[in-house]
Structure formats: C-alpha cells, structure tokens
C-alpha cells in the first residue's frame, strides 16, 4: 500500500508531495519478545530478519549471501572461520558494527542467566555447550574479535551447515552499549538499536509493529520500502478479508477452510509451496501416568488418519507423514518411518486396542487433553484427532490457548497431555529436527522425554565428520524416536501465503524466508 505525505511550507497553498512506501504485512501472531535470544517462532523470525543483519543472510531465494561480513575464509580442517566485516556496516544510531558486537551476542546467548531456548543452535562453536551447561567462563567461547572488522570463530568439530546456521536469529549481533544501559528493556521502541534494513518505531500488542527504514543500513539505497507494518492475524480469515480489501499486501498463512474460494478467486495471489517443516504432537512423558508408557503413545499415533487431516482439514495444504525429519532435507537421504506407515487404518485401530490392553488401559478409562494454540486450522485438526482417539476408547478434549503465550507454556513444562507443535527447519540438515528431543534441550523438548541412548547417538553424530556415516547415526536416532513416539509426527508443512501482485520481490522458497529489504511495491 502506498501513502502520500503532504508537507505545507510557510502557510502557502502550494504543497510538495513526498511518496512514502508502506507495506502492511500480515504475520502469524504477535511475538512473545523482541529479544532475539529469547525468540523461537517463525513469526518472530520474520521480525528479526528485518531488524537485524547477521554475518551472512538469506536473499530473496533463500541463498546465502554476504551480510555484515563481506568475505570469509575457512581453514582446511573446517574448524576455523575468519570473517571480514564491511567497513560501512552501521547500527541504527550510527555506531560502527564491530566484530566485538558478535562476540558480545554469542557470549550472551550462551550465558545460562539469559536462559535462551535456542542456545544450543550455536553449540557447534567451541566451548559453547560447556559455557551454557557446565559453567565454563564466557571468555572461553570460540569467538574472538581480532580487530574491529575481523571475527574469528572456532568450532568444536567441522560443521557442514555452519554458514547456513548463522542466518538464524541466534547468529545476530547486539549493540552492547544499549543492552547494557537498558537491561531487559533494550527492545522497547526508543531503546532498541538494530543493524538491519529496518528499525523499530512502535509496538502495539494485538495491533501492529511499525518498522521504519534504517538510514544507516549499509545497503539503504537499495531498500525500496520505507515502512513495514507487521499486523498479527491469528484468525487467518481476517487476514484474507483485509487482503481482499487491499489493506494488507501479504498474509503469512491462509484459512484453509476457504481454500476452494481462494483457488477460484485469488489464483494469481495464492502461493502454496514446499516447506521444510513438520507438524507434530508432543506427548507428556515425565509424569507417572498412562502417557509415560510408549505403548499408549504408539496406540494414539496409530489411529490418527493423516490422509484425512491433510486432505479434508488442511485442504491439501499439508502432506501426511510417518517420519519426523522432512523428506528432501540435506545430508540425510530417506527419513525413518513409523512401522505401520503402509497399514490399513482399520488394522491399525485393532493393533492400537491390543497395545492399550497390554498397557492395562480399559475402554473409556483414559482421558487426554489436546492443547493447541489459537487458529481455526489447529482447532479443526485437534477436534478431528479427538474423534479418532475416541475410536479406540480414549476420551479426548481439545483445549485452546492464546498464541503469544502458548510456546512459553510448552517450554516451561506446562501441564498438558498432548499438544500441537510445529518445527520449521532453520537449516537443511536432520540435526536441526532431531536435536529438539535431546534430554537437556529443555527449550524445545516439550514432551520432556529423556533417553540416554538417543542422547548418545546425537553426540556420536556430532563427532562424525563423514557425511554418510553421520547420516546413518542420525537415522538410528530417528528410528529410536519413532519407536518411543514422545512426539507423534502427523504432517509435513507447505508454505501457504497470499501475496499481492503489487508486491515485487517475494520469491517462493523452501525456507519461506522473505526479507522486506528485497521487495518493492508497484502501482
């Protein structure tokens, strides 16, 4: 949407029109925080991508291109990365972006006092895990500012996806002086200092986050959009209505119950593309009740009709899965599958009843609460799953929770039986999916499953430099995960968006990343 600001001078009738390009952008939900060390959702990732710039970034096609770093070198053994920072990289207050800003940020995210749920994303950096979990001094982190424009990062072992990993929000820098001055208030408008294409103007919860073009950004001359207004739409149908009215130029998700309508009336603006993500159901395993028994969890998984969910509930905008790691992911091959993937549903229901009987669960004895975050699509999914569980005598009741607090509740070991969760790949490697379930990953191991064999397999994979051998170890880990099903995979994601034909530069990609800096708006 393009608005025009009129400037009147000296009380004269003459006026000068100054074009201000404004992008009203639908987002999944409000962020729970703008502290990128505490973020964890895709909706928050969209915001961070506009506010900050990492050493390397993803362009409009999700390809890695230089960011703050104009170049880099990698040692022959793959352990040492040396980044040369561009001289003209600036914070929104005009300060130079220095190598020390990255060192400060990387130390802060590993500091146990920060309690960053994503700290383990950066565990490939030497001593990161020991700092975060064992109390090693922050100064021992393998990230050193050689000088203002030279950053050296040393890894624990060769990590083939390390550059891609740095495009994630955990790899973003922080302006040390403003964080030190404002403490946990450093993300407030007026306090927040950023180095990306945009800077924070205002944040009105449940209404709008306003960002203005950062004039200090090194590539500001090529940023065409002056203002981006992020508007949260937990009700996807509301975003559709405002899209059709021309009030927003994109919706980050769509109301799938209106898929036929959109295909008929908005075919040129409806984008449905493959997406590296899994929609799954964590089951609480750390309580002394029936759900602690893998046989009960397996029985619940068996009776879920994934084809029905994909075709009827999600209207073809999801793909059925019996694997946790998405197909087509890098460095892996074919994912492991649940053993009954090809079995008839009625046969699976019979087998599920036998498992419940073995576990001592009588018909109608077990009641489970199915927790989900607010959205029509999630509600319909969990309602259907409740009916499916009823087919084997399990009483199930869907329960809704508001989106902004939902994932904090899961991370903090909130009280639930089965929940709805999703994971979108931060980089194309199976480790990014399987690490979620490591015993010590309290930020994302929502089920609180603890399995020493699984943890050891993940450690073995991290120490293995041969890609094929590493893939085999990770396959063993996924197989073990699917045997005990602390999480029940049900669907693979597609990225479903509405994008106005006026919005230029939105390129469909498997990572579903769309930085505003790459876009422009036409009449």
């Amino acid at each position: 949407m393009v608005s025009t600001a009129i400037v009147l001078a000296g009380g004269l009738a003459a006026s000068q029109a100054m074009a201000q390009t404004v992008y009203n952008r639908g987002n999944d939900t409000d962020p729970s925080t703008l502290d990128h060390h505490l973020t964890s959702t895709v909706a928050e990732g969209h915001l961070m991508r506009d506010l900050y710039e990492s050493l390397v970034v993803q362009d409009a096609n999700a390809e890695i291109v230089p960011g703050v770093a104009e170049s880099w070198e990698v040692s022959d053994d793959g352990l040492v990365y040396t980044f040369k920072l561009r001289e003209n990289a600036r914070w929104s207050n005009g300060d130079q972006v220095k190598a020390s800003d990255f060192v400060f940020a990387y130390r802060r995210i590993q500091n146990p006092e920060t309690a960053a749920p994503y700290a383990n994303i950066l565990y490939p950096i030497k001593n990161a895990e020991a700092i975060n979990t064992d109390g090693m001094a922050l100064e021992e982190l393998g990230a050193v500012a050689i000088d203002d424009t030279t950053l050296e990062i040393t890894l624990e072992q060769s990590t083939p996806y390390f550059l891609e990993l740095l495009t994630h929000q955990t790899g973003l820098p922080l302006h040390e002086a403003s964080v030190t001055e404002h403490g946990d208030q450093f993300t407030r408008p007026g306090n927040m200092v950023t180095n990306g294409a945009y800077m924070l103007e205002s944040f009105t919860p449940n209404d709008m986050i306003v960002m203005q073009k950062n004039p200090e950004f090194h590539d500001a001359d090529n940023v065409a959009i002056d203002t981006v207004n992020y508007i949260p739409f937990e009700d996807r149908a509301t975003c559709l209505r405002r899209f059709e009215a021309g009030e927003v130029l994109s919706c980050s998700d769509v109301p799938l119950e209106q898929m036929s309508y959109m295909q008929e009336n908005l075919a040129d603006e409806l984008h449905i593309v493959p997406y590296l993500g899994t929609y799954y159901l964590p089951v609480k395993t750390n309580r002394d009740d029936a759900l602690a028994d893998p046989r009960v969890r397996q029985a619940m998984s068996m009776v879920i009709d994934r084809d029905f969910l994909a075709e009827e509930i999600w209207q073809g905008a999801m793909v059925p899965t019996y694997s946790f790691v998405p197909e087509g992911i890098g460095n892996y091959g074919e994912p492991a599958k649940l053993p009954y993937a090809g079995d008839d549903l009625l046969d699976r229901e019979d087998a599920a009843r036998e498992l419940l009987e073995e576990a001592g669960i009588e018909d109608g004895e077990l009641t489970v609460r199915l927790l989900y975050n607010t959205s029509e699509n999630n509600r319909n999914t969990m309602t259907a799953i409740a009916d499916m569980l009823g087919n084997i005598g399990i009483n199930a009741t869907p329960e809704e929770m508001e989106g902004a607090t939902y994932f904090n509740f899961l991370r903090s070991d909130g009280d639930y039986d089965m929940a709805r969760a999703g994971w979108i790949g931060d980089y194309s490697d199976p480790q990014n999916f399987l690490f979620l379930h490591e015993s010590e990953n309290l930020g994302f191991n929502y089920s609180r499953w603890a399995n020493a064999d699984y943890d050891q397999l993940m450690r073995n994979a991290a120490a293995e430099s041969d890609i094929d051998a590493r893939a085999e170890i990770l396959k063993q880990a996924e197989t073990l995960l699917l045997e005990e099903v602390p999480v029940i995979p049900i669907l693979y994601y597609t990225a479903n968006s509405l994008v106005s034909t006026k919005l230029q530069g939105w390129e469909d990609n498997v990572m579903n990343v769309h930085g505003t800096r790459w876009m422009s708006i036409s009449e």
Side-chain angles (χ1 to χ4, degrees):
M1 180 177 294
V2 179
S3 63
T4 302
I6 304 298
V7 178
L8 299 178
L12 299 176
S15 65
Q16 179 184 5
M18 299 177 64
Q20 178 80 1
T21 305
V22 179
Y23 174 18
N24 288 336
R25 179 170 183 167
N27 203 13
D28 292 353
T29 187
D30 262 340
S32 59
T33 178
L34 290 178
D35 180 344
H36 59 74
H37 287 167
L38 302 180
T39 60
S40 64
T41 67
V42 171
E44 291 164 337
H46 295 326
L47 302 171
M48 296 302 111
R49 192 171 294 111
D50 278 355
L51 288 169
Y52 290 95
E53 183 180 62
S54 189
L55 294 165
V56 294
V57 300
Q58 292 166 318
D59 66 10
N61 295 302
E63 298 294 333
I64 295 175
V65 297
V68 175
E70 61 184 8
S71 63
W72 53 89
E73 296 178 353
V74 185
S75 63
D76 292 340
D77 59 8
L79 294 180
V80 181
Y81 286 68
T82 304
F83 296 91
K84 184 65 176 177
L85 278 55
R86 58 181 78 242
E87 297 276 357
N88 63 340
R90 292 288 183 273
W91 291 99
S92 53
N93 68 348
D95 290 350
Q96 181 181 5
V97 180
K98 300 179 180 180
S100 58
D101 295 319
F102 287 91
V103 174
F104 171 73
Y106 296 166
R107 288 179 178 178
R108 180 178 183 266
I109 197 172
Q110 297 306 330
N111 189 334
E113 295 180 2
T114 303
Y118 254 137
N120 50 11
I121 290 285
L122 293 182
Y123 279 2
I125 298 178
K126 188 172 181 61
N127 295 329
E129 183 173 9
I131 291 168
N132 188 247
T133 62
D134 295 333
M136 181 180 284
L138 295 175
E139 293 75 17
E140 297 298 317
L141 185 68
V144 178
I146 303 301
D147 54 42
D148 286 349
T149 59
T150 308
L151 175 67
E152 182 180 274
I153 299 179
T154 303
L155 306 184
E156 291 282 359
Q157 58 267 324
S158 178
T159 304
Y161 52 87
F162 184 65
L163 283 179
E164 192 168 1
L165 181 154
L166 290 177
T167 66
H168 187 256
Q169 58 254 41
T170 50
L172 298 172
L174 278 172
H175 185 258
E176 182 174 0
S178 61
V179 174
T180 301
E181 177 182 358
H182 300 293
D184 61 6
Q185 302 299 306
F186 82 91
T187 61
R188 286 181 174 271
N191 295 346
M192 195 173 195
V193 179
T194 59
N195 75 319
Y198 294 90
M199 52 189 183
L200 181 66
E201 177 72 17
S202 63
F203 179 6
T204 306
N206 302 313
D207 180 41
M208 188 181 297
I209 293 175
V210 179
M211 299 181 192
Q212 297 290 351
K213 179 178 173 179
N214 177 9
E216 299 290 343
F217 183 56
H218 64 84
D219 198 32
D221 289 346
N222 291 315
V223 176
I225 294 174
D226 299 297
T227 304
V228 53
N229 298 321
Y230 275 93
I231 304 170
F233 289 103
E234 292 185 352
D235 180 1
R236 279 39 172 176
T238 301
C239 194
L240 168 60
R241 289 194 296 271
R242 294 188 62 178
F243 180 84
E244 289 190 289
E247 296 173 359
V248 297
L249 291 184
S250 65
C251 294
S252 59
D253 200 356
V254 299
L256 297 182
E257 68 276 8
Q258 298 187 53
M259 182 63 75
S260 296
Y261 170 83
M262 291 183 289
Q263 289 172 334
E264 292 175 8
N265 297 281
L266 299 168
D268 292 339
E269 297 172 305
L270 177 63
H271 293 229
I272 300 177
V273 297
Y275 197 16
L276 199 69
T278 302
Y279 188 108
Y280 67 100
L281 307 174
V283 183
K284 235 1 167 10
T285 66
N286 63 342
R287 302 179 310 205
D288 186 19
D289 61 13
L291 299 182
D293 190 328
R295 293 172 296 185
V296 176
R297 302 194 296 266
Q298 201 67 268
M300 293 192 295
S301 173
M302 284 180 174
V303 299
I304 295 175
D305 187 343
R306 293 156 172 84
D307 292 320
F308 176 85
L309 295 177
E311 296 166 10
E312 300 299 327
I313 302 298
W314 290 89
Q315 297 294 300
M318 287 281 206
V319 179
T321 183
Y322 293 85
S323 305
F324 192 83
V325 176
E327 293 183 0
I329 201 165
N331 306 324
Y332 199 42
E334 191 70 21
K337 285 185 171 61
L338 289 163
Y340 40 85
D343 294 352
D344 179 79
L345 183 61
L346 293 178
D347 292 338
R348 292 187 350 224
E349 288 181 359
D350 291 340
R353 285 184 175 276
E354 291 177 7
L355 283 177
L356 291 177
E357 184 176 349
E358 288 178 17
I361 306 296
E362 297 182 2
D363 193 65
E365 181 181 35
L366 178 59
T367 298
V368 296
R369 295 167 295 141
L370 309 181
L371 189 67
Y372 64 92
N373 53 314
T374 303
S375 92
E376 188 68 23
N377 298 333
N378 291 338
R379 178 184 303 111
N380 292 341
T381 298
M382 296 305 257
T383 299
I385 289 174
D387 290 341
M388 296 168 189
L389 294 176
N391 291 335
I392 57 170
I394 296 177
N395 305 309
T397 305
E399 294 184 2
E400 181 175 308
M401 179 177 287
E402 192 270 327
T405 59
Y406 180 77
F407 288 100
N408 283 338
F409 178 82
L410 296 185
R411 282 193 293 269
S412 61
D413 198 20
D415 183 26
Y416 71 90
D417 297 327
M418 180 188 289
R420 196 247 27 129
W423 186 257
I424 305 302
D426 302 305
Y427 42 90
S428 187
D429 188 274
Q431 183 272 349
N432 189 230
F433 284 80
L434 297 176
F435 91 107
L436 301 174
H437 315 298
E438 294 173 0
S439 302
E440 295 183 356
N441 187 0
L442 300 184
F444 296 104
N445 183 2
Y446 301 143
S447 66
R448 292 300 189 265
W449 180 58
N451 187 290
D453 292 337
Y454 184 87
D455 294 342
Q456 186 60 53
L457 286 168
M458 295 302 294
R459 287 192 292 270
N460 293 346
E464 177 57 65
S465 58
D466 181 88
I467 290 294
D468 293 336
R470 175 178 177 270
E472 182 56 36
I473 296 169
L474 291 172
K475 185 74 64 65
Q476 294 175 35
E478 185 179 18
T479 299
L480 179 56
L481 180 75
L482 297 177
E483 287 174 355
E484 296 217 354
V485 283
V487 293
I488 300 173
I490 56 174
L491 300 165
Y492 286 150
Y493 280 99
T494 57
N496 311 305
S497 310
L498 286 169
V499 183
S500 170
T501 54
K502 296 180 180 179
L503 190 62
Q504 306 299 307
W506 179 295
E507 301 294 339
D508 292 333
N509 59 77
V510 71
M511 299 300 294
N512 195 32
V513 296
H514 305 284
T516 306
R517 65 178 284 194
W518 310 112
M519 301 184 208
S520 61
I521 299 171
S522 63
E523 291 290 348

